[in-house]
Amino acid sequence: MQYIIQEEDKSLIRQNNYKIKIRINILSGSGSTLGILTGVSEVGSFSIDADSDIRRTASFTVKLDDFYSNIEKEIANYLNLNFKLEAGVYNNRTGDYKYYLLGTFHMTETNTSYDASTNSLHLGLSDSFSFLNGIRNGQVGGSPTILIPVEHNGVKNTIRQAAINILTAETNITDYLIEDIGEYLGMPQNNADYLSYRQLNTDWNTLPYDLKFNSGDTVADILITLRDLYPNCQVYFDTFGNFCFDMIPSNETSPIVLSNDYLQSILVSNNSENVTYDTSAIRNVTEVFGKVYDIDRFCETSTYGSGIYNLTLEAYEKYTPGEIIGFSAVSPNAASPQVKINGLAPIPLYKEYTDTFIEPETIESGNTIAIRINKDNSGKYAAYYLGEFQPHALCVLTDNVNDELYSKSYFSEKFNCDKKNIVLIAANDSPFSVQGFGIVLDVKSGNEYDNIISSNVAIENAKYNVYQKSVWHDKVTVTVKMLPWLDVNVKVEYQKKQDNTPHTYIIKQLQHDFNNGTTTITMCRFYSLYQE
């Protein structure tokens, strides 16, 4: 959950006489205020990093002149307390400070020290993720192996419920905002008709396989594994102390929170912009190999006629839900294809997780195909197209999807990948397209990629990896008057000095300098992850 920015908030930043005050509230475990530290003599740093598990960190030096005795005891008492950090912006019109919550923090003992000569305490603070990843707490015990099964007592585990279960069983966290995460077409951010998709595919948000962990692994290890089941998800603690598990903004409908005009108006100087390219990390083509299917039955020879693939399998007398069957295709498919095994009735051949027939010529002659038998939404048997024997996908960052050289046919031949599993991401003004930067390949296989069991999921992982390894490296850093209410993974509009037009960016890091009243924003160029 993020703070909703109001016009008054933006107007306060534009004041000529801009003053900031820091306030640290000491909280009990129940959240009641035990005291307020106001003697902040030096602000070391305050940062928010979207790519770090511990998203919010801070360091301060506090004068302890209010304590005349038992200073060490007071400091020891702090170790198990919480700290609510606030930044106040002075309102010239009312003469009061308006305070903005920056987060709830905990002392990380390795960064905390007391200086007796100056009677001051240096606080190193981290958000509540430090209680999940082993820094302050978080290890899971009680059994040599921790298993999160696909199904428990006849009920399939959803990703959301698995996350809630581990939080409630292993932590004291009660405030959480966890989205229903699953297949990308089941997410409202990616599919306008997501409700229909969910109705047709009731398992869209369930665990795709059993998850196993060892004793001593942390709660964070488990949550991050759940997060990484599908691309473009994030787990973190928000400003208000809620544990959040949701999607990173990835399409054009995500709102823009600050305009280019506003950002330009609060730049601290003409030299406030810095553009960086880490060319050593750029990968503009991603090739993903998923799991080689565990075929239940395989048909060496098949025939095709009247739109039906005829398969012959020994001792096969009825369709069985969940079975994966492989066969060598002797011909491309026409419209509305069907599959027939032995003397059983023909069944439709649908796109995965839909009740829509695969497109003509989706299957190519000579390919080894995998299908899954299951029941459709009406309870009738259907065959669902999974793809070739091993999921294989390719994603390319291009400045022209109609390029005659760098076409799908070109990449299909070069990488031996079906054209239907090749995605061209259009970024016509990115410096990292294959036309301008050359082809730089990143191959993903094995380990977590062995959990990919369909071409659709392989495609989405390929797209997300290109997004991370190319366009996210088109970065610009600007320094503006301090924005205590701004957060990361939000979209803003900005025009670089060398550009002729504003573009959309997504904020990845914020660094607040309270001594100078500035915020340094690191943001990367935004391109929609889910392009048609």
Side-chain angles (χ1 to χ4, degrees):
M1 184 169 66
Q2 292 175 335
Y3 177 77
I4 305 301
I5 303 168
Q6 307 296 325
E7 288 302 316
E8 177 194 9
D9 303 322
K10 293 190 283 188
S11 297
L12 287 176
I13 308 302
R14 280 175 159 164
Q15 296 177 119
N16 291 327
N17 183 24
Y18 186 59
K19 293 190 292 185
I20 298 291
K21 182 184 287 187
I22 305 301
R23 187 166 70 185
I24 305 174
N25 296 271
I26 305 173
L27 307 178
S28 67
S30 62
S32 60
T33 300
L34 301 178
I36 299 176
L37 294 177
T38 57
V40 179
S41 63
E42 179 183 339
V43 181
S45 65
F46 177 86
S47 65
I48 312 175
D49 189 343
D51 296 326
S52 174
D53 296 330
I54 298 179
R55 182 164 288 194
R56 303 166 202 279
T57 58
S59 64
F60 299 91
T61 299
V62 182
K63 295 288 287 183
L64 298 178
D65 293 337
D66 292 339
F67 299 119
Y68 297 101
S69 62
N70 296 324
I71 291 178
E72 284 78 8
K73 181 179 179 181
E74 293 290 344
I75 295 172
N77 290 337
Y78 285 173
L79 294 176
N80 290 320
L81 299 178
N82 304 328
F83 296 83
K84 184 172 72 173
L85 180 62
E86 296 175 303
V89 179
Y90 186 73
N91 188 322
N92 293 331
R93 181 176 58 83
T94 65
D96 296 321
Y97 280 88
K98 181 175 182 179
Y99 281 92
Y100 296 94
L101 179 63
L102 298 176
T104 300
F105 298 85
H106 313 278
M107 290 176 65
T108 50
E109 189 173 357
T110 54
N111 291 330
T112 301
S113 60
Y114 168 64
D115 186 342
S117 63
T118 61
N119 197 34
S120 61
L121 173 68
H122 177 74
L123 294 175
L125 306 177
S126 300
D127 69 26
S128 296
F129 219 92
S130 60
F131 281 90
L132 305 182
N133 67 357
I135 290 180
R136 286 290 306 267
N137 205 341
Q139 283 193 322
V140 179
S143 174
T145 302
I146 298 97
L147 175 68
I148 304 179
V150 168
E151 188 173 306
H152 180 65
N153 292 333
V155 178
K156 290 190 175 180
N157 257 327
T158 66
I159 296 171
R160 180 177 186 272
Q161 192 58 54
I164 292 173
N165 289 345
I166 189 65
L167 281 178
T168 55
E170 300 293 337
T171 76
N172 295 321
I173 294 169
T174 57
D175 297 324
Y176 50 80
L177 300 170
I178 302 177
E179 286 187 5
D180 229 350
I181 300 293
E183 287 284 346
Y184 76 97
L185 287 178
M187 301 301 296
Q189 298 91 332
N190 314 326
N191 181 9
D193 196 24
Y194 72 96
L195 288 176
S196 296
Y197 183 87
R198 292 180 178 186
Q199 289 174 353
L200 287 170
N201 311 285
T202 55
D203 292 341
W204 73 275
N205 59 349
T206 59
L207 294 177
Y209 46 84
D210 293 343
L211 302 179
K212 294 181 181 180
F213 302 91
N214 297 319
S215 180
D217 285 346
T218 66
V219 173
D221 292 330
I222 297 173
L223 292 170
I224 289 169
T225 299
L226 291 169
R227 177 198 69 187
D228 292 346
L229 289 173
Y230 291 100
N232 208 42
C233 297
Q234 55 181 348
V235 290
Y236 61 99
F237 282 88
D238 67 12
T239 303
F240 306 98
N242 301 304
F243 173 80
C244 300
F245 187 164
D246 53 29
M247 299 284 288
I248 299 170
S250 57
N251 57 28
E252 299 296 344
T253 61
S254 305
I256 294 174
V257 301
L258 294 178
S259 68
N260 175 61
D261 288 343
Y262 183 77
L263 282 178
Q264 296 289 347
S265 73
I266 59 173
L267 289 172
V268 296
S269 72
N270 290 330
N271 298 321
S272 297
E273 177 183 298
N274 180 35
V275 179
T276 59
Y277 298 126
D278 183 5
T279 56
S280 65
I282 303 304
R283 302 292 184 268
N284 54 18
V285 177
T286 296
E287 185 176 24
V288 172
F289 291 94
K291 181 180 182 179
V292 175
Y293 289 118
D294 292 327
I295 302 295
D296 295 300
R297 301 293 300 272
F298 186 79
C299 176
E300 294 285 353
T301 58
S302 66
T303 62
Y304 183 77
S306 301
I308 300 174
Y309 287 99
N310 294 283
L311 312 183
T312 301
L313 296 174
E314 185 178 349
Y316 194 93
E317 299 178 352
K318 64 178 182 178
Y319 295 118
T320 303
E323 271 192 332
I324 296 179
I325 296 174
F327 67 94
S328 297
V330 295
S331 175
N333 65 286
S336 305
Q338 294 179 295
V339 172
K340 178 182 179 182
I341 301 178
N342 297 342
L344 300 176
I347 57 177
L349 181 52
Y350 288 151
K351 296 178 182 178
E352 188 185 13
Y353 301 122
T354 73
D355 60 355
T356 304
F357 285 100
I358 61 174
E359 300 293 335
E361 299 187 355
T362 296
I363 296 175
E364 298 180 9
S365 179
N367 284 356
T368 300
I369 302 303
I371 60 174
R372 188 194 303 273
I373 305 297
N374 224 322
K375 291 185 177 181
D376 63 18
N377 203 39
S378 66
K380 297 179 180 179
Y381 281 107
Y384 292 90
Y385 176 77
L386 297 179
E388 293 189 37
F389 189 62
Q390 180 181 26
H392 182 200
L394 196 78
C395 183
V396 179
L397 188 74
T398 177
D399 63 17
N400 180 6
V401 295
N402 298 313
D403 190 306
E404 293 184 359
L405 172 60
Y406 292 120
S407 62
K408 283 191 176 184
S409 296
Y410 170 86
F411 289 105
S412 176
E413 183 176 347
K414 182 176 179 64
F415 293 99
N416 193 30
C417 183
D418 274 356
K419 287 190 288 185
K420 61 181 175 292
N421 293 337
I422 297 175
V423 177
L424 305 179
I425 290 183
N428 56 15
D429 51 2
S430 170
F432 306 131
S433 68
V434 292
Q435 289 87 350
F437 197 74
I439 296 174
V440 185
L441 178 65
D442 189 15
V443 178
K444 300 293 186 182
S445 63
N447 298 320
E448 67 266 31
Y449 294 93
D450 281 339
N451 296 321
I452 294 176
I453 57 174
S454 75
S455 296
N456 281 340
V457 177
I459 289 169
E460 291 312 307
N461 276 270
K463 288 165 63 177
Y464 185 60
N465 193 72
V466 163
Y467 198 81
Q468 285 185 307
K469 296 293 183 68
S470 57
V471 296
W472 279 8
H473 287 277
D474 186 355
K475 292 182 179 180
V476 59
T477 300
V478 297
T479 302
V480 299
K481 295 176 71 172
M482 203 197 76
L483 303 173
W485 32 257
L486 192 59
D487 210 337
V488 294
N489 277 344
V490 297
K491 288 162 60 178
V492 298
E493 189 180 57
Y494 182 72
Q495 180 177 334
K496 292 191 294 188
K497 295 183 183 301
Q498 302 303 317
D499 284 348
N500 297 320
T501 184
H503 295 293
T504 302
Y505 290 81
I506 186 165
I507 295 176
K508 302 308 292 182
Q509 189 177 60
L510 296 170
Q511 187 81 31
H512 295 319
D513 182 345
F514 294 115
N515 292 322
N516 294 311
T518 61
T519 296
T520 299
I521 304 172
T522 300
M523 49 192 172
C524 64
R525 183 70 185 278
F526 176 84
Y527 294 92
S528 179
L529 179 60
Y530 297 102
Q531 302 181 20
E532 296 296 334

